[in-house]
């Protein structure tokens, strides 16, 4: 139910500039309130149905209307509790019309973010391979090439709806990548985990959905060698505020 609600709300809030991570975080945080509303709705429906059998004709509509109004009042009360409780810090700037951010501040912030991103990218070692001047074909290995991570958890989250992936970046740079390898990754797992890419300040999916060695068939590797003698390997791990990377992946793999 919660994941279904996340899937329904994410496109709406992304269009408003809210990141996917924040939608997941707050829906999970409010899950108790959500289940309470659903539970009260179930009770109201039961009362309405029971009224048909247990209440005298002529007064059934009073019971049904009372149940419906009671549920609506409960929803309004719970909504207020959420707005002035766990969501207050997020909603108060919106409700306070005097708190406005100038366009100049927004543009300056974007410039700083771009600068930090450029300076934060570190090439560990380059033995003359880069830049790729004469290479137009590239084998891109690593499942994360099809599902890159653009941000982390908590304050590290961001709206990545307009982010450009690695494969698209290569295409934009005039470099062709081996689509046979890419198709193998997407067929193995189109998303980061079967239940959706859930990353929030309270929960992170640490699974590493890399295809096992049998997926790299002799035919696939022979075709890759014919395609190009240059390869790039992509590895992505999520982490950030409140969710440090685990130090024991064996425990993660075996669910202990």
């Amino acid at each position: 139910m919660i994941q279904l609600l996340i899937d329904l709300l994410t496109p709406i809030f992304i269009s408003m500039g809210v990141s996917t991570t924040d939608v997941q975080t707050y829906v999970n945080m409010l899950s108790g309130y959500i289940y309470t509303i659903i539970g009260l709705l179930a009770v109201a429906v039961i009362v309405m149905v029971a009224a048909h059998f247990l209440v005298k004709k002529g007064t059934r509509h009073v019971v049904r209307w009372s149940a419906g109004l009671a549920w609506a009042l409960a929803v309004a009360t719970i909504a207020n509790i959420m707005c002035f409780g766990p969501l207050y810090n997020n909603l108060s700037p919106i409700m306070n019309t005097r708190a406005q951010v100038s366009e100049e501040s927004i543009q300056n912030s974007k410039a700083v973010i771009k600068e930090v991103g450029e300076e934060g990218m570190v090439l560990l070692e380059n033995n003359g391979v880069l830049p790729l001047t004469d290479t137009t074909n590239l084998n891109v290995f690593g499942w994360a090439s099809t599902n890159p991570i653009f941000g982390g958890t908590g304050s590290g989250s961001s709206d990545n709806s307009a982010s450009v992936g690695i494969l698209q970046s290569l295409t934009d740079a005039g470099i062709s990548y081996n689509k046979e390898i890419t198709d193998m990754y997407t067929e193995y797992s189109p998303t980061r985990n079967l239940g959706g890419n859930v990353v929030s300040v309270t929960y992170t999916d640490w699974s590493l959905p890399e295809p096992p060695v049998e997926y790299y068939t002799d035919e696939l590797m022979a075709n890759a060698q014919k395609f190009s003698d240059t390869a790039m390997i992509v590895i992505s791990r999520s982490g950030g505020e409140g969710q440090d990377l685990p130090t024991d992946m064996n425990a993660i793999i075996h669910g202990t």
Side-chain angles (χ1 to χ4, degrees):
M1 175 61 71
I2 294 300
Q3 187 58 49
L4 175 62
L5 187 59
I6 290 173
D7 294 338
L8 292 174
L9 293 177
T10 297
I12 298 173
F13 282 99
I14 281 181
S15 64
M16 299 168 61
V18 180
S19 71
T20 303
T21 302
D22 283 339
V23 175
Q24 295 166 343
T25 298
Y26 286 105
V27 172
N28 279 288
M29 182 179 66
L30 300 173
S31 59
Y33 298 98
I34 295 170
Y35 283 128
T36 300
I37 292 174
I38 295 173
L40 292 174
L41 176 61
V43 171
V45 171
I46 292 172
V47 171
M48 291 178 182
V49 174
H52 180 77
F53 302 98
L54 302 177
V55 180
K56 293 180 180 181
K57 189 175 182 179
T59 57
R60 294 172 183 168
H61 68 284
V62 176
V63 175
R64 290 169 179 163
W65 274 101
S66 297
L69 290 173
W71 179 76
L73 179 61
V75 171
T77 303
I78 293 173
N80 274 276
I81 293 174
M82 289 190 293
C83 292
F84 289 94
L87 294 178
Y88 180 75
N89 288 338
N90 299 85
L91 294 178
S92 57
I94 300 175
M95 294 184 291
N96 184 3
T97 56
R98 292 175 298 176
Q100 298 291 335
V101 180
S102 67
E103 183 63 28
E104 182 182 3
S105 296
I106 293 174
Q107 295 304 319
N108 287 339
S109 296
K110 290 182 177 180
V112 172
I113 292 170
K114 184 175 183 295
E115 182 180 357
V116 170
E118 292 172 348
E119 293 182 357
M121 297 177 186
V122 180
L123 186 65
L124 296 182
E125 185 175 0
N126 180 21
N127 293 324
V129 176
L130 298 178
L132 298 175
T133 54
D134 300 325
T135 300
T136 56
N137 292 339
L138 193 66
N139 289 305
V140 183
F141 290 100
W143 179 88
S145 63
T146 60
N147 279 261
I149 295 177
F150 297 104
T153 61
S155 299
S157 66
S158 62
D159 175 16
N160 55 46
S161 58
S163 299
V164 179
I166 294 169
L167 300 177
Q168 184 60 49
S169 294
L170 291 174
T171 300
D172 294 343
I175 298 176
S176 300
Y177 57 88
N178 190 333
K179 293 186 178 180
E180 185 180 11
I181 297 175
T182 302
D183 290 342
M184 182 269 287
Y185 290 134
T186 54
E187 290 173 7
Y188 176 76
S189 180
T191 56
R192 188 158 296 279
N193 69 323
L194 296 179
N197 183 12
V198 180
V199 181
S200 72
V201 74
T202 56
Y203 171 78
T204 298
D205 169 38
W206 296 119
S207 63
L208 301 175
E210 292 290 348
V213 66
E214 55 263 28
Y215 278 76
Y216 296 91
T217 63
D218 292 340
E219 180 183 5
L220 179 73
M221 298 308 295
N223 291 340
Q225 191 172 13
K226 294 177 184 177
F227 185 79
S228 176
D229 61 356
T230 306
M232 178 173 71
I233 301 175
V234 181
I235 301 173
S236 291
R237 297 286 297 279
S238 179
E241 180 186 5
Q243 293 289 303
D244 289 336
L245 295 175
T247 57
D248 184 3
M249 282 308 300
N250 187 65
I252 299 296
I253 292 170
H254 293 93
T256 57

